[in-house]
Every structure is written in C-alpha cells, then in structure tokens.
Amino acid sequence: MPTPREPIKVIAHRGASADVPEHTLAAYRKAIEDGADGLECDVRLTADGHLVCVHDRRVNRTSNGRGAVSALELADLAALDFGSWKDTTRVGPVGPGAGRDTAVPVPPVSEQPQWDAARTSVLTLERLLELVSDAGRRVELAIETKHPTRWAGQVEERLMALLDRFGLASPASAAESPVRVMSFSARSLHRVRAASPYLPTVQLMQFVGVRHRDGRLPPGVGISGPSIRILRGHPSYVEQVHRAGNRVHVWTVDDPADVALCAELGVDAVITNRPRAVLEQLGRG
C-alpha cells in the first residue's frame, strides 16, 4: 500500500498579513490563533546589530518613516508606525505617496484613534521567538534572510547566535527542528549550513535553473521553495523534487485555485497570507 500523505503544512506569510499589518506582533498572534502550523518572517540587520522583521530594504512602504533598515538603529525603527498604513479606519490617506499633495485635517489628540503597539511597532526576531516559545504548541518558524545587504555574513552570524540563545541552533536532526532558514541567496544558506549542518534550509526560487530542473538542490539543502507561478507553469516539478528526496514549500499561495493545485500536486507546505482560509479549504479549519 502507498504511504499515507502527510497533511500540507500551512505557514503564515509575514503573519496573518491579509488581515493584520505584516510582520507585526499582532499578525503573528492572529496566525497562531488561526491555527497556522508555522510562521514566516523576513529578517534584516539594523545599524546597531538587531535582527528585525521587515521585508523591504527600506521602511518607506510599511511605515511612516523613510530610509534603509541597515542604516537605522533599533531605536529609530521603534519610533515609527509600522501598522496604521493598513488600517482602513485611519483618518486621512496613508501609505507610499498618500496625501503628498493633499492637506488632511487632523482631529484633536483626544479624538484620534489609539493604536495598539502590537499592530504598529517594529518587531524584532527575538520577540517573535519569544512568542513562538510561549505558544503552548509546536509552531514552526521559517526565517528568510534578505540579501544583498551591507552587513553580508553578519546577518547569518547574528541569526545563529540568537537561535542558540533559544536552544534552536543545533537540532539533533532536520526533522526535529521547528526552525528553518530560507533565502534566495545560496551563499546565505551555505553560511547557515556551515554553522549548523542539521538546521533545515530552503532554497527560494523565482525560476528553476537548468541544474535544478530534475529536483536536485544545492548541497545540504533539503527543501525547494518555488513560487506558485513555477508550479502553475511546471506542475511536474513537485514530483521531480520528491523523487530527488527533497521537499517542496510553495509561496505565496492565497488564491483558492492555487491552494487546490498545491493539494493536488502534494506539496509539503504552502506559505500564505490567509492561513485560516487555507486551513478551511484543506479541511483543517
């Protein structure tokens, strides 16, 4: 008889980011409440050496500030609002370019909405690890290192040091580890593997190069991270990866048709902005 297929794991992309501002503590809390199997985050290194959960190189899109994360200190980022841009109840336009040429009347302080810090404050990876540790159940964490950056290998160095503080840097086996490191940068993954051979790594892909079309991955990497666009155009890729003994974690899977495709192809995990809806579609809601 064939081996029963394990349920597809549902990983919350930047938290439950369809509903709550991405990369905020509130987004990750909601993802855990929604039942997500794991959380995905992007990490960047600040000028004073802190790993923070921010996707873009600059803070312009997701905050009321400007500048590169790598050139700002944690205190600078802590002074910014990283959530109100997504809140539709906010007075006046927000977001990139909003209100640039329009004067918006600001109500008295007593009438302005009070924003929850969990929805608006920058989130450090340390705080996210604390949240996962206190979840009361196994919650996996997929950490994407963002490159290129002026800090280069210091990102992985600080990441491994932080994981070590939480007892997560040196798992006995890849299967036991609740943490995995993802990157489009093969060099980044090489640094992680050199520091911790059993910490799972994911090679993220915008497209599948000729060397990897048969399902093979860079040495030591056991998980392929293709975009959903790759699977739409080349559905046989999933079978190729599995035949090579590797796993498939797909990003970013929000559309119900894409969820159905991933289920049909038997991928191992989907990374989605809508964890609750995807869990329900997969019969796990």
Side-chain angles (χ1 to χ4, degrees):
M1 295 180 63
T3 303
R5 181 186 296 173
E6 293 185 4
I8 298 173
K9 290 184 177 180
V10 175
I11 312 301
H13 184 242
R14 308 178 198 173
S17 55
D19 303 314
V20 186
E22 67 183 64
H23 281 137
T24 59
L25 186 61
Y28 288 111
R29 283 176 175 166
K30 187 175 191 308
I32 292 174
E33 293 170 0
D34 287 350
D37 299 299
L39 312 174
E40 184 270 353
C41 69
D42 305 289
V43 294
R44 291 185 178 276
L45 195 63
T46 65
D48 53 342
H50 294 273
L51 287 169
V52 292
C53 300
V54 179
H55 176 272
D56 300 359
R57 187 178 71 87
R58 301 178 65 84
V59 301
N60 303 31
R61 177 178 66 88
T62 55
S63 83
N64 60 346
R66 301 183 67 83
V69 175
S70 61
L72 298 170
E73 295 189 353
L74 182 59
D76 300 322
L77 296 170
L80 301 178
D81 181 338
F82 278 86
S84 298
W85 63 272
K86 190 178 178 68
D87 199 315
T88 57
T89 65
R90 182 180 170 91
V91 177
V94 294
R100 184 173 298 163
D101 301 312
T102 306
V104 179
V106 179
V109 173
S110 60
E111 298 178 16
Q112 293 181 24
Q114 299 299 308
W115 302 115
D116 180 356
R119 290 177 63 91
T120 59
S121 296
V122 69
L123 180 65
T124 63
L125 179 60
E126 180 179 11
R127 181 67 186 93
L128 181 56
L129 285 166
E130 290 173 349
L131 178 69
V132 170
S133 298
D134 296 337
R137 64 177 176 88
R138 179 184 170 97
V139 176
E140 299 180 357
L141 185 58
I143 304 170
E144 180 182 346
T145 60
K146 304 300 290 186
H147 287 279
T149 172
R150 71 179 69 188
W151 301 119
Q154 292 183 52
V155 173
E156 288 75 30
E157 182 180 331
R158 295 299 177 95
L159 173 58
M160 296 308 299
L162 188 55
L163 291 179
D164 187 57
R165 281 179 47 197
F166 283 82
L168 298 168
S170 302
S173 68
E176 293 181 14
S177 176
V179 174
R180 53 187 169 271
V181 179
M182 312 190 299
S183 190
F184 288 98
S185 168
R187 182 172 297 182
S188 173
L189 297 183
H190 176 76
R191 295 185 189 114
V192 172
R193 293 195 307 274
S196 179
Y198 295 112
L199 190 66
T201 50
V202 184
Q203 180 65 64
L204 296 174
M205 300 179 178
Q206 292 275 12
F207 60 91
V208 182
V210 175
R211 290 185 302 168
H212 299 138
R213 288 179 184 172
D214 60 358
R216 289 181 295 177
L217 296 170
V221 177
I223 307 173
S224 175
S227 69
I228 185 62
R229 183 177 298 179
I230 290 175
L231 265 59
R232 292 184 196 132
H234 306 281
S236 62
Y237 177 67
V238 175
E239 183 179 359
Q240 293 287 85
V241 175
H242 285 162
R243 282 183 177 177
N246 299 315
R247 289 174 286 165
V248 181
H249 292 191
V250 188
W251 57 275
T252 303
V253 186
D254 288 341
D255 189 279
D258 289 334
V259 176
L261 174 63
C262 287
E264 178 184 348
L265 296 177
V267 308
D268 302 282
V270 294
I271 302 172
T272 178
N273 298 309
R274 306 166 58 246
R276 174 177 287 181
V278 172
L279 284 165
E280 290 175 352
Q281 182 175 345
L282 294 173
R284 296 179 54 202

